[in-house]
Amino acid sequence: MNENSKAKMSLGTEIATMLKSNIRDYAMYIALVVIFIFFGIKTSGLFLSSRNLSDLINQTGYVAVLAIGMTIILIIKHIDLSVGYVAGFLGAVSAILLKTGLNVWLVIPIIMCLGIVVGIYQGFLVSKIGVPAFVTTLAGMFIFRGLLSLVTQGTGTIIVSDKTFKALSNGFIPSIFNIGNIHGLTLLIGIVAVILMTYSQFKSRKNMQKYNFQVSSTPIFFFKIAFITLIIIVIFSILAGYKGVPWTAVIVGTVLFIYNFMLNKTKLGRYIYGIGGNAEAAELSGVNVKKITFFAFASMSMLAALAGMLYTSRLSSATPQAGLGFELDAIASSYIGGVSVNGGIGRVTNTIIGALVIMSLTNGMNLMGVDISYQYIVKGAIFILAVAFDVRTRGRRK
């Protein structure tokens, strides 16, 4: 056997090993690509059009924000069933405040602070009083559903007319310069994203080599960079062909960056994973489990407040039905994104992919005219498959 054949076999073996050891992470990306290709074909390209992808990002925004917070809750082996109606209620409160003439830049922090207060209340019951999270947040679901009905029962629907607020989920970054009909700033952001991604990959590889950790071979490493670069260029090129990057993407991206940094680069993040892995061991090692649990619920409700404003902005109104099923989409997004049903494992970056999977299914089936009944069946099937896959792959590793 010559050197070329050995190299090919070695490369093939490495790829197979890498896929096998990271199958839970790669599965969701593969699923998302399959979904995009399937709906792209079935809708004659309409699903992949610039306008629809922009709409998909705006539709996914509130679910993605909720799912990021839910990921932390699930990692520490709790659950929050109240987030849907917390989002719906606080979205309605934001609409009421705007209707009174209060400035939008005052309304946003006020609603976020109210979300934190809700989280403190629920976190107190769970971490200090010892009420199970399921019971606490189920009660919260009923309470905030009732409060939403109360604040909307007079008018039914509260119309939002503030242009800045509506731009949160309907607007786009400004067009500083254009290249023909192409949104120039969006292309520039795409190029910067490629540069930052490449730098991050090289820096991470160098650090791993410095401490003698195993890294992928050079061909695999460069293929990975080339593949991610291609995806970034395609996405930003498509968005540049319409109106550019939606503000929703900027908001979600900011939240994602903050939480990803917190989970991976801070002591707080290590404590969260430690509690999810073994709460008793974490407490014995000096971690304040109650304090971290308190933080997780306050964080979740704060993000629910932001999600509520994004949803209200998207509809340009607050309705009595706002919040219905939001918590289910957030939980499903987290599990599809690879959060373990046993806690201790999960990434907010993967959770965003899970949210895209859920909302892509909804968007694509709507474009195809699929009845809502069948949509729920399909989403339920995808959810149980994702959880079953997680359980099976974890079982094989043991």
Side-chain angles (χ1 to χ4, degrees):
M1 189 179 292
N2 59 35
E3 292 298 321
N4 265 347
S5 299
K6 287 182 180 179
K8 285 179 181 177
M9 284 184 66
S10 176
L11 194 60
T13 303
E14 183 184 356
I15 293 171
T17 303
M18 186 174 65
L19 286 173
K20 188 175 180 180
S21 61
N22 296 283
I23 187 65
R24 290 169 66 242
D25 287 337
Y26 293 145
M28 72 202 75
Y29 291 95
I30 295 169
L32 186 62
V33 170
V34 170
I35 289 169
F36 269 56
I37 292 172
F38 176 79
F39 285 126
I41 294 170
K42 285 293 184 179
T43 61
S44 301
L46 180 60
F47 179 81
L48 297 173
S49 66
S50 299
R51 180 169 185 169
N52 188 63
L53 287 182
S54 293
D55 286 341
L56 176 60
I57 291 171
N58 285 329
Q59 290 165 7
T60 306
Y62 73 93
V63 174
V65 169
L66 283 175
I68 288 171
M70 189 63 73
T71 296
I72 295 176
I73 294 289
L74 295 175
I75 285 174
I76 63 172
K77 299 180 183 178
H78 286 295
I79 196 165
D80 192 337
L81 300 175
S82 69
V83 295
Y85 285 110
V86 170
F89 169 65
L90 292 178
V93 173
S94 68
I96 292 169
L97 292 177
L98 288 168
K99 203 169 182 181
T100 63
L102 197 63
N103 186 280
V104 65
W105 298 115
L106 286 176
V107 170
I108 292 173
I110 287 172
I111 297 300
M112 298 282 279
C113 288
L114 287 175
I116 293 172
V117 170
V118 170
I120 289 173
Y121 149 71
Q122 297 196 128
F124 177 78
L125 290 177
V126 174
S127 63
K128 300 294 184 182
I129 305 300
V131 182
F134 182 88
V135 175
T136 297
T137 58
L138 182 61
M141 178 196 290
F142 292 135
I143 291 168
F144 290 105
R145 184 173 188 174
L147 289 172
L148 174 61
S149 297
L150 277 175
V151 298
T152 57
Q153 67 182 2
T155 57
T157 299
I158 305 168
I159 304 299
V160 175
S161 57
D162 188 280
K163 291 182 180 179
T164 303
F165 188 83
K166 290 196 290 184
L168 294 177
S169 274
N170 294 289
F172 299 83
I173 62 172
S175 178
I176 296 175
F177 67 97
N178 289 331
I179 304 171
N181 294 323
I182 302 297
H183 196 279
L185 183 57
T186 297
L187 284 181
L188 182 61
I189 292 172
I191 293 168
V192 172
V194 168
I195 293 170
L196 291 175
M197 179 276 299
T198 305
Y199 171 76
S200 174
Q201 290 291 326
F202 272 99
K203 184 179 179 182
S204 176
R205 182 181 175 86
K206 187 177 180 181
N207 287 336
M208 291 180 74
Q209 289 174 329
K210 180 180 177 181
Y211 295 104
N212 297 318
F213 286 111
Q214 186 178 358
V215 296
S216 58
S217 64
T218 303
I220 295 292
F221 175 69
F222 279 104
F223 175 78
K224 179 183 177 182
I225 289 178
F227 183 70
I228 297 174
T229 297
L230 178 64
I231 291 174
I232 292 173
I233 289 173
V234 169
I235 291 172
F236 278 91
S237 296
I238 291 173
L239 292 176
Y242 184 48
K243 294 182 179 179
V245 176
W247 279 118
T248 301
V250 176
I251 294 168
V252 173
T254 303
V255 173
L256 176 62
F257 174 81
I258 292 169
Y259 277 79
N260 187 55
F261 180 85
M262 181 267 290
L263 284 174
N264 294 299
K265 302 293 184 181
T266 67
K267 285 185 180 179
L268 176 58
R270 289 193 290 274
Y271 292 162
I272 288 169
Y273 283 117
I275 291 169
N278 190 322
E280 291 79 11
E283 191 158 23
L284 287 172
S285 64
V287 177
N288 190 328
V289 175
K290 291 182 179 180
K291 190 175 181 180
I292 301 300
T293 303
F294 207 90
F295 164 80
F297 278 93
S299 166
M300 178 72 261
S301 293
M302 179 190 72
L303 292 179
L306 176 59
M309 288 188 285
L310 287 175
Y311 186 76
T312 302
S313 168
R314 175 73 180 158
L315 298 183
S316 298
S317 62
T319 68
Q321 292 77 37
L324 179 63
F326 286 11
E327 69 284 350
L328 303 181
D329 283 335
I331 293 168
S333 298
S334 299
Y335 281 130
I336 290 172
V339 173
S340 172
V341 292
N342 297 313
I345 296 173
R347 298 179 184 173
V348 288
T349 47
N350 290 348
T351 292
I352 295 297
I353 303 300
L356 279 170
V357 167
I358 287 290
M359 299 310 291
S360 294
L361 286 169
T362 302
N363 182 282
M365 287 189 285
N366 282 337
L367 290 176
M368 288 175 62
V370 176
D371 186 86
I372 188 68
S373 305
Y374 293 108
Q375 291 190 30
Y376 282 122
I377 293 171
V378 170
K379 288 201 288 186
I382 295 293
F383 180 35
I384 195 64
L385 283 172
V387 175
F389 182 75
D390 170 71
V391 172
R392 292 293 292 173
T393 51
R394 281 177 60 82
R396 285 174 188 170
R397 289 183 179 186
K398 290 179 179 179

